[in-house]
Amino acid sequence: MAYEWHRPIEAKWATLTALTFLCVIVGGLVLLVPPFFMQGTIAALPGMRPYSPLELEGRDIYIREGCNVCHSQQVRPFKTETDRYGPYSVAGEGIYDRPFLWGSRRTGPDLARVGGKYPDSWHWLHLRNPRNLEPRSNMPAFEFLLRTPLDTSLTQAKMRTLKRLGHPYSDAEIDGAPDALAAQARKIADSLRADGVELDETGAHSEAVAVIAYLQSLGRAIRAQPVAASGEVD
């Protein structure tokens, strides 16, 4: 019978606790230290830009409502995933994400490539009641987002903070954030009305419009990259 070397260690609780703690520390350092030396080594994809003011607000609402709990944003490099979702995720497309929303749980489908896949009106109806579009969906309805006014009082402060963290917002972009946000919201509202959505002023300036703007931004930069014969992004 082979000698069970771990038995003496397991018999001494203090030794086992100390060694376990040491393993956790070493493992933590291995995971946390290297990224500090990698700052600036990952470049944004060509055409990649920070989120617009409206998209930034939509992303915060997306996180607030826990959407990232059920929807990952990480296409893994497997054929079954790239066939369904498109090019696999690369570091350069998440360079402006704070925090990352990659995730691993897919109660709902991955959303890393959802931008441009559906019209704005599809997202509006889906937020109102997912089962009107997909009867098997177990996603809760977010109808309240369609009538909740979007709070933009902190938008510029958020952009200033992100600029200090390295996001390339210019002072002009920050100063013009309210106008840029309103213009993008009007564009989405016009798109909704053109598709037959009955939209009052509350709906046109609602949190739902911001969420739609965010969702429509996802995955567009990587889809604009040249694709090799293998179907992978160069």
Side-chain angles (χ1 to χ4, degrees), residues 71-90:
H71 295 281
S72 63
Q73 290 184 26
Q74 182 182 15
V75 183
R76 299 162 182 82
F78 304 117
K79 188 175 187 302
T80 53
E81 301 223 353
T82 56
D83 283 350
R84 180 178 182 185
Y85 297 115
Y88 59 78
S89 298
V90 296

Side-chain angles (χ1 to χ4, degrees), residues 127-156:
L127 289 171
R128 172 179 287 167
N129 187 351
R131 275 150 298 285
N132 287 342
L133 298 174
E134 174 49 70
R136 298 170 299 174
S137 176
N138 61 358
M139 173 177 160
F142 288 90
E143 193 274 336
F144 67 93
L145 295 179
L146 280 60
R147 46 186 169 78
T148 302
L150 178 64
D151 181 3
T152 61
S153 60
L154 296 176
T155 304
Q156 289 174 298

Side-chain angles (χ1 to χ4, degrees), residues 8 18 29 102 131 174 181 191 202 210:
L29 290 175
W102 287 346
R131 275 150 298 285
I174 296 174
L181 186 150
S191 170
T202 299

Side-chain angles (χ1 to χ4, degrees), residues 189-202:
D190 290 343
S191 170
L192 293 172
R193 292 186 176 111
D195 283 349
V197 175
E198 294 184 4
L199 199 66
D200 57 17
E201 283 305 304
T202 299

Side-chain angles (χ1 to χ4, degrees), residues 44 54 63 65 67 84 96-97 114 133 144 166 184-185 191 227:
L54 186 63
I63 295 172
E65 298 302 326
C67 302
R84 180 178 182 185
Y96 299 128
D97 283 340
V114 76
L133 298 174
F144 67 93
Q184 188 174 9
S191 170
V227 179

